[in-house]
Amino acid sequence: MRTVRLALAFVVLAGVALMAQGRGGGAPAPPLNLPADTPRITALKNEALAEVDKLKDFTQQMVDQIFSYGELGFQEVETHKYLVALLRQNGFTVEEGVAGIPTAFMASWGSGKPVIALGSDIDGIPQASQKPGVAYRDPIVEGAPGHGEGHNSGQAVNITAAIVLKKIMEREKMPGTIRIWPGTAEELVGTKAYFVRAGLFKDVDVALFTHVGNNLSVSWGAGGGTALVSVEYTFEGETAHSAGAPWRGRSALDAVELMNVGWNYRREHLPLEHRSHYVIRNGGDQPNVVPRNASVWYYFRDITYPRLKELWAIGDQIAEGAAKMANVKLLPTRVLGSAWPRHFNRAIAQVTHDNIRQVGMPTWSEDDLTLARALQKELGARETGLATQVSGLGQPVTDNRGGGSDDIGDISWNVPTVTLSFPSNIPGLPGHNWANAVAMATPIAHKGATAGAKVQAMTLVDIVTKPELVTAAWDYFNNVQTRTQKYEPLIRPQDQPAIDLNREVMSRYREEMRKYYFDPTRYKTYLEQLGIKYPMIKR
Ligand SMILES: [Zn+2]
């Protein structure tokens, strides 16, 4: 009985895809004065690079396994089970169900300082089921969710890097703690503010986040994109016979529709950088019964925290007005997710970028390039193939025009954080779409994840061998980033993680999807299991 309607024609990307937009505004700032690599550190980094290469099949298996699960936010049950078992096998202690979220965990290895928290998202996108390595729409299971953002690849980057560093730290008897955690339900910006509220980052020195992209890159300062609050408005009226006694009914659906009309009129007078969109989650039961309950789910986005709060207040006001017009009650609103704007740490970004330059882009095969160009052609995008040069160090965004959001923002305002973008996907894609899944269990994704793991492993070496780096990171965090702006959560004391989201849709598809879970005991790759001759393109 759910009617779903998209408010806007344009697709808004979560994650870093749009971060490059609006960046710049003048010459890059001169680099910070950070400690150089000693010969010992250089040797450890070279060792880490070689070890990550040796683990490339292990990395590939993780990427393929999570791809095959294709689970939506808060329902990452198989992904969770798989990662927890894998981390335990590799010597990590894992606490499950952290922050009251069944598919969230915190894994830990080592002891003492520094404490480094490695995170990456794990959830998929509705309707994005897609055969990997096929350059046109061809779902594995029609209508099912899939990894149409590429969140199947980031845990592989972090886990490979962590295992390599753990081996080095054990041999060298280095103090330090490595934590690994999932960005559960990132597509709903549903969990990271709760992780912060639960104190999971209280003793963390540095957070290294990683997200799929189409290049190896990192940035510092204010990121692009928006802060977000996700709010459900539910109205309550009274049923009546829609034909026999409509004057006795009070329609909650009327309030939903009036709220949307009101919002769309108001949109003309909102800041250009804002974004807002909604779906109707409940539009009533059947036409001959006046709808007693109806609800609409809004994403409000704006580029700063104060402006987002203003936008949210306008939404609340319009909802109250709509309730009055329809003569129904507005029930207490439910916050289903939230994200602060992103702000990344200068010192950590700088060393990460130095490592990026050493690692460089993967070597793409003719097959990789053929797939990329064929997909770009299929979508009417520029046929640029794959990126071959690493990006420069991203500078603070000074002319932010809005865009997607990521709740890593909340963590970035609590502990020095960077997001490493790694090249597991193809440039020029729409985002949140089947096309963004095409590369994600192919050699493009595998090589991209290995490149990302190399950078991550080298940055871990930097952090455990250079206490001055951690000091510089906190100096920037305390004296630059948070000097005038302090973190205040968007979630209210009464809000709880929306762990019921996606339960219904996931249960509809899970049994059919289960037939296609990757079985690494029988097949080397997921492409092999699906019998796909890489790359498959329209001839
Ligand atoms: Zn994402």
Side-chain angles (χ1 to χ4, degrees), residues 15 121 149 151 186-187 211:
D121 303 324
E149 161 103 355
H151 285 177
E186 189 281 330
E187 297 301 345
H211 193 283

Side-chain angles (χ1 to χ4, degrees), residues 81 139 386 533:
K81 224 190 294 174
L386 295 162
K533 290 199 174 37

Side-chain angles (χ1 to χ4, degrees), residues 32 220-222 343-348 396 416-417 470-483:
L32 293 173
W220 66 274
H343 190 113
F344 296 123
N345 189 267
R346 189 171 174 190
I348 304 298
T417 302
V470 177
T471 308
W474 280 94
D475 179 49
Y476 177 85
F477 182 85
N478 289 324
N479 302 319
V480 181
Q481 179 183 346
T482 62
R483 200 167 48 90

Side-chain angles (χ1 to χ4, degrees), residues 67-70 125-132 137-147 434 505-517 526 530:
F67 182 92
S68 77
Y69 294 144
I125 296 283
Q127 317 247 355
S129 176
Q130 169 67 26
K131 290 182 186 156
R137 189 175 182 278
D138 189 5
I140 299 170
V141 176
E142 178 62 45
H147 275 292
W434 61 266
V505 64
M506 211 57 234
S507 64
R508 200 179 316 148
Y509 292 107
R510 192 180 287 287
E511 285 321 304
E512 191 57 26
M513 291 170 77
R514 197 183 293 282
K515 298 175 189 164
Y516 301 94
Y517 289 170
Y526 195 44
L530 295 178

Side-chain angles (χ1 to χ4, degrees), residues 102-117:
T103 53
F105 62 81
M106 186 59 81
S108 189
W109 174 85
S111 62
K113 292 281 190 180
V115 179
I116 309 164

